Amino acid sequence: MIAILVFSACGSDSTTDVTATDTPSATYAYISQKILARSCTECHGTKGGVTLSTFEGVQKVVTAKDPDKSLLYTVIESDAMPQTGDPLTESEKALIKTWITNGAAND
């Protein structure tokens, strides 16, 4: 009876429940939902120019496997973008660089 109580208590803490999109990862899903949506799409949404609200739009400013030739990475690395709000953190920049280096897949 005691063993059952101990094991049942291990999974009962709801504050440790984390979804996949809450864990930083170098995937398009995480980058688009957690970084681009917060810092970029207010200006670069669906209205002309550079569009970062869709994978197709992001592909136009990314050179897969080469972050240094990717407009998206070069403007965030230099802090030229975003022009309003806080710049991306070093860890956010690193996630985007890793995603591009790994091929910039729609994952």
Side-chain angles (χ1 to χ4, degrees), residues 7-98:
F7 287 116
S8 66
C10 291
S12 65
D13 185 4
S14 63
T15 60
T16 59
D17 185 22
V18 177
T19 63
T21 58
D22 289 335
T23 304
S25 62
T27 62
Y28 176 71
Y30 181 85
I31 290 166
S32 65
Q33 293 170 15
K34 297 295 182 177
I35 301 173
L36 299 180
R38 183 196 74 235
S39 299
C40 307
T41 59
E42 183 176 333
C43 297
H44 298 288
T46 58
K47 298 176 186 169
V50 175
T51 301
L52 299 177
S53 59
T54 66
F55 181 72
E56 293 76 20
V58 172
Q59 282 183 305
K60 293 177 182 177
V61 293
V62 168
T63 302
K65 299 188 179 189
D66 196 346
D68 294 327
K69 289 185 180 176
S70 297
L71 179 61
L72 175 65
Y73 181 71
T74 59
V75 298
I76 62 166
E77 180 58 27
S78 67
D79 291 330
M81 292 288 168
Q83 290 184 344
T84 60
D86 295 328
L88 274 59
T89 66
E90 292 304 313
S91 62
E92 290 171 329
K93 292 176 188 180
L95 283 175
I96 292 171
K97 183 176 185 177
T98 299

